Amino acid sequence: MNLHEYQGKELLAQYGVVIQRGIVAHTPDEAVEAAKKLTEETGTGWHVVKAQVHAGGRGKGGGVKLAKNLDQLKEHATNILGMKLVTPQTSAEGKLVRKILITEDVFYPGETEPSEIYISVLMDRERKCNVIVYSTEGGMDIEDVAHNTPHLIHKEYIDPLAGLQGFQARRIAFNLGMSGVAYKNMVKFIYNLYSAFVGSDASMFEINPCLHASDGKIIAVDAKVDLDENALFRHKDLAALRDTDEEDPTDVEAKSYGLNFVNLDGNVGCMVNGAGLAMATMDIIKLSGGEPANFLDVGGTADAKRVEQAFRIILRNEKVEAILINIFGGIVRCDRVAQGVIDAYKNIGNISVPIIVRLQGTNAVIAKKMIDESGLEVRSAILLKEAAAEVAKVVG
Amino acid sequence: MSVLVNKDSKIIVQGFTGKEGTFHAGQMIEYGTNVVGGVTPGKGGKEHLGKPVFNTVAEAVDKAGADVSIIFVPPRFAADAIMEASDAGIGVVICITEGIPVQDMVKAKAYIDKRGTRLVGPNCPGVMTPGEAKVGIMPGFIHNPGRIGIVSRSGTLTYEAVDQITKAGLGQSTCIGIGGDPIIGTTTKDAVKLLMEDPDTDAIVMIGEIGGSMEADAAHYVKEFGTKPVVGFIAGQTAPKGRTMGHAGAIIGGEDDTAAAKMRIMAECGIHVVESPAAIGDTMLKALGKA
């Protein structure tokens, strides 16, 4: 589950991580009030206006602007609020900006030139432990850094049983070229950041940029936070931060029915039990000349109600020209699923696209007979290759 | 013969008296699996499905000689259950539970590795040696005792492969569902290696999916040490980047973990790669020179 920048920063601050301070605003007037308040509290003269959407590369799309006075600030806030922000990580349509974060300016002049650092924390699947990834090349796209100058990216692997050790935090600070007060702040920053990661059951933290400010402070200027959905049961406060406005509405609705759904671009819908078989079914659709319109795992109980909900969600997509239902009945009996399909079909009434039902496993032959004799416009199959051939007939 | 489980395995069920545990343990016993009891803390001393219930895994090892455990406990307690089995000296732990927090598994994996425990899963259908032991939630009747080993990250897609192998007139030595989570105990390579070294397995079906580098690792192993034909499939050729496809581990992060990249590496390493999941059975017959 992704958090907004402002939510991520609040989480970090709870663990003592120094953040660039800010206040959320929903209107240009609120933005001006927020800026005045920040100036009072932090002494900042300039402010930054930052679009709050779940996508990276916001600056590139014009979603992050510096304001040197309140008139500029109001102008930026007016422009950004309500815009469809297009970044390298959004669709071509972009994402509607519903709120902005007004922040203090932390690039103030001082003893040293401010410099930007990259820090992330995530779980390394190959090594099966957490890793802190860091680089002196902050403020840029880290994939570009990894591609062009891989020697500038460092990794610190954390022992799962011992946790982050002091020497590791010190090594990170030294490798980042820190000394004096900045070095001490960096060690503290790493410690607190890692505590926040473990404490919140995060799956990813990305602080880019993390600023080495001109007075030696180490400040999280941005915070990309992704939390482990499976651990939200022990973080009720974090679970409440979910912003469904940022998610695909169909995905959200499907989830409320217990369906695992991902909207795609193609012309053949599918309904499958099991994630691996669902992906394989999408592949079959492609090989048969169609394009998958969705990923949909109905789970272990493909009863009439679920099948009907799944039908309704798939049919809402006007691009869908056919639907392939692929169920391998193990524990769930195929005749029950067949009955579910027949009932759902009748409940919905007139379904105008062809439906191919492939039921295999427990009671598959009985199920095929039920479908064939139901009088519905449904093509049935038992073998996967038969189902593929049926799809090819319809859209190939 | 087989790997991991056989007719002599002494199997206990953790989460024995719960809804899932009760249903699947019943199915396992019906299949003829040697279930020697179960563990539900606080219900020790009772009997369930005609088998003894113990309070702890250690007690089940002590009194019933358990050497294999299958876990059905809810996600929030599952990592604890895995570590308890490991601590009690169980050699093979099979965890079915889906939805365990990743940080719990990071700890549990490090814990059991120190003790030499073999973990299969979590988030998997289990392990099946047809005709001997069904230690999981797979439908027994689609299997047929034979000499093809199957390794897969998925549940129903494994059944699909099993079914095609059976319909091709072949059978299975052992089917290992390794699980769809980011952190699992037995990797694709580990499972392929077990089957490659099993004298009663003639060929292997290896089914992977997008995300991670397990299939590439297994492919490199096959290239270097392989002595038997391997048929491979990767699910998710049409999956978009950056979206989790049902399984927590099925997400494309970069170029290397797409289906196309994995299939290319597997083919380069001499694996018979099928583009269509409907062609697993036929391709195996060809690989064995029987078609």
Side-chain angles (χ1 to χ4, degrees):
Chain A
M1 182 184 100
N2 288 314
L3 297 187
H4 284 294
E5 174 193 354
Y6 73 93
Q7 297 167 326
K9 282 178 167 173
E10 279 167 21
L11 167 63
L12 297 184
Q14 283 169 19
Y15 286 86
V17 177
V18 179
I19 57 163
Q20 174 202 40
R21 288 164 292 183
I23 298 171
V24 177
H26 301 83
T27 65
D29 288 339
E30 274 182 33
V32 171
E33 286 312 305
K36 285 181 185 162
K37 199 166 170 219
L38 276 171
T39 301
E40 254 172 53
E41 285 173 6
T42 68
T44 188
W46 296 352
H47 297 90
V48 187
V49 183
K50 303 169 100 174
Q52 298 298 290
V53 292
H54 289 180
R58 290 169 299 163
K60 288 178 194 161
V64 180
K65 296 276 186 195
L66 177 69
K68 296 186 176 177
N69 56 54
L70 289 180
D71 288 340
Q72 268 187 7
L73 182 116
K74 193 161 183 179
E75 191 187 327
H76 291 322
T78 308
N79 291 340
I80 293 174
L81 276 166
M83 83 186 285
K84 286 264 194 167
L85 182 60
V86 179
T87 86
Q89 291 183 21
T90 65
S91 65
E93 236 173 79
K95 283 200 130 175
L96 178 65
V97 181
R98 293 180 171 86
K99 45 195 167 189
I100 50 179
L101 181 65
I102 310 302
T103 73
E104 62 176 324
D105 167 39
V106 286
F107 288 77
Y108 43 81
E111 284 172 32
T112 58
E113 193 66 18
S115 65
E116 295 180 316
I117 299 159
Y118 173 94
I119 304 176
S120 65
V121 190
L122 54 126
M123 196 275 295
D124 185 283
R125 285 172 74 161
E126 274 64 57
R127 299 217 188 187
K128 298 177 168 59
C129 67
N130 297 329
V131 59
I132 300 175
V133 181
Y134 61 100
S135 172
T136 49
E137 307 304 291
M140 300 188 241
D141 190 336
I142 198 65
E143 286 183 6
D144 292 342
V145 179
H147 186 260
N148 301 327
T149 49
H151 60 284
L152 294 177
I153 293 184
H154 304 276
K155 291 180 179 180
E156 192 70 43
Y157 295 96
I158 315 300
D159 185 297
L161 301 177
L164 174 70
Q165 298 301 303
F167 76 90
Q168 296 183 294
R170 295 197 295 274
R171 178 155 59 202
I172 292 171
F174 285 129
N175 280 342
L176 288 170
M178 304 281 171
S179 60
V181 64
Y183 160 78
K184 283 187 185 163
N185 286 332
M186 190 76 229
V187 170
K188 239 186 272 174
F189 187 96
I190 293 293
Y191 247 117
N192 293 338
L193 188 71
Y194 190 74
S195 303
F197 182 83
V198 174
S200 63
D201 273 294
S203 41
M204 204 215 17
F205 275 5
E206 187 175 60
I207 313 300
N208 188 23
C210 169
L211 190 74
H212 173 187
S214 61
D215 54 2
K217 278 193 186 134
I218 304 295
I219 303 169
V221 176
D222 196 359
K224 188 173 177 204
V225 171
D226 190 4
L227 302 173
D228 180 1
E229 304 254 355
N230 289 336
L232 288 176
F233 68 84
R234 54 188 171 211
H235 304 285
K236 296 279 188 285
D237 51 332
L238 297 175
L241 299 178
R242 165 162 257 138
D243 184 350
T244 48
D245 283 344
E246 293 292 321
E247 299 171 19
D248 184 309
T250 314
D251 296 8
V252 174
E253 186 191 346
K255 190 176 266 176
S256 74
Y257 299 140
L259 302 168
N260 206 330
F261 180 88
V262 178
N263 220 348
L264 300 170
D265 254 353
N267 59 348
V268 181
C270 57
M271 191 190 305
V272 190
N273 66 333
L277 191 60
M279 279 187 273
T281 304
M282 287 160 51
D283 297 343
I284 282 266
I285 289 170
K286 171 93 174 175
L287 291 166
S288 305
E291 288 286 341
N294 64 275
F295 165 94
L296 174 62
D297 175 7
V298 290
T301 49
D303 54 23
K305 196 162 169 234
R306 277 209 181 185
V307 172
E308 184 177 332
Q309 283 157 339
F311 261 132
R312 289 189 189 278
I313 285 174
I314 294 172
L315 286 168
R316 208 171 298 154
N317 181 350
E318 286 171 4
K319 285 192 218 156
V320 168
E321 294 169 30
I323 299 175
L324 171 58
I325 300 177
N326 185 11
I327 304 286
F328 201 106
I331 304 311
V332 46
R333 282 164 35 195
C334 289
D335 53 324
R336 292 233 176 120
V337 179
Q339 195 59 52
V341 171
I342 293 165
D343 291 349
Y345 198 103
K346 286 182 178 158
N347 282 344
I348 295 173
N350 195 17
I351 296 182
S352 56
V353 302
I355 295 173
I356 300 139
V357 183
R358 184 269 180 153
L359 295 165
Q360 174 64 299
T362 315
N363 294 353
V365 178
I366 302 172
K368 182 172 181 349
K369 196 156 171 265
M370 285 167 66
I371 298 273
D372 288 344
E373 291 172 0
S374 67
L376 304 180
E377 293 291 319
V378 174
R379 298 149 196 259
S380 66
I382 288 186
L383 295 180
L384 194 50
K385 50 188 169 192
E386 294 166 357
E390 289 292 334
V391 173
K393 264 190 231 164
V394 176
V395 296
Chain B
M1 265 304 290
S2 54
V3 299
L4 296 171
V5 297
N6 60 36
K7 62 181 181 348
D8 299 321
S9 301
K10 291 182 175 163
I11 298 154
I12 52 156
V13 180
Q14 288 177 259
F16 191 34
T17 58
K19 191 174 157 229
E20 296 283 310
T22 299
F23 177 76
H24 290 293
Q27 299 272 312
M28 285 163 54
I29 293 166
E30 197 176 300
Y31 189 79
T33 310
N34 186 25
V35 175
V36 298
V39 176
T40 298
K43 293 196 178 170
K46 291 187 177 147
E47 203 174 83
H48 185 62
L49 303 176
K51 311 282 178 189
V53 181
F54 302 101
N55 277 326
T56 66
V57 179
E59 200 186 342
V61 171
D62 190 34
K63 294 187 179 154
D67 54 14
V68 172
S69 169
I70 179 165
I71 296 175
F72 289 104
V73 310
R76 63 176 75 191
F77 310 116
D80 176 71
I82 292 168
M83 291 188 275
E84 183 186 354
S86 173
D87 178 71
I90 295 278
V92 175
V93 178
I94 297 165
C95 184
I96 306 299
T97 310
E98 177 177 4
I100 304 177
V102 174
Q103 293 297 324
D104 289 8
M105 275 313 299
V106 168
K107 280 204 197 90
K109 174 72 180 148
Y111 183 94
I112 64 165
D113 280 354
K114 277 172 61 176
R115 289 161 177 79
T117 309
R118 157 78 62 196
L119 172 69
V120 179
N123 190 11
C124 77
V127 180
M128 171 70 149
T129 296
E132 298 197 29
K134 169 174 130 71
V135 193
I137 60 174
M138 63 291 282
F141 75 96
I142 58 172
H143 299 78
N144 189 32
R147 302 182 62 86
I148 310 294
I150 296 182
V151 179
S152 167
R153 281 165 75 175
S154 155
T156 45
L157 184 54
T158 314
Y159 312 159
E160 178 67 45
V162 167
D163 191 59
Q164 287 184 32
I165 292 298
T166 298
K167 290 222 161 65
L170 302 166
Q172 304 82 30
S173 51
T174 299
C175 307
I176 311 170
I178 60 171
D181 272 4
I183 293 199
I184 51 176
T186 297
T187 62
T188 310
K189 180 184 145 187
D190 296 338
V192 167
K193 187 165 181 280
L194 283 173
L195 293 165
M196 202 61 87
E197 292 168 357
D198 174 34
D200 295 308
T201 296
D202 290 342
I204 300 168
V205 175
M206 172 181 139
I207 296 175
E209 59 193 34
I210 53 166
S213 63
M214 288 198 305
E215 294 83 359
D217 295 345
H220 290 127
Y221 166 82
V222 169
K223 187 179 182 183
E224 198 167 347
F225 301 104
T227 52
K228 305 168 185 178
V230 179
V231 171
F233 171 72
I234 300 290
Q237 298 165 55
T238 50
K241 191 184 171 192
R243 298 293 304 265
T244 304
M245 306 302 279
H247 289 152
I251 178 166
I252 298 173
E255 291 298 310
D256 296 338
D257 56 5
T258 61
K262 293 186 187 205
M263 289 164 92
R264 195 189 63 238
I265 292 168
M266 283 157 60
E268 282 166 7
C269 292
I271 292 174
H272 303 265
V273 177
V274 294
E275 272 200 5
S276 166
I280 295 168
D282 294 346
T283 307
M284 179 54 83
L285 284 174
K286 275 183 209 145
L288 291 170
K290 292 185 178 177

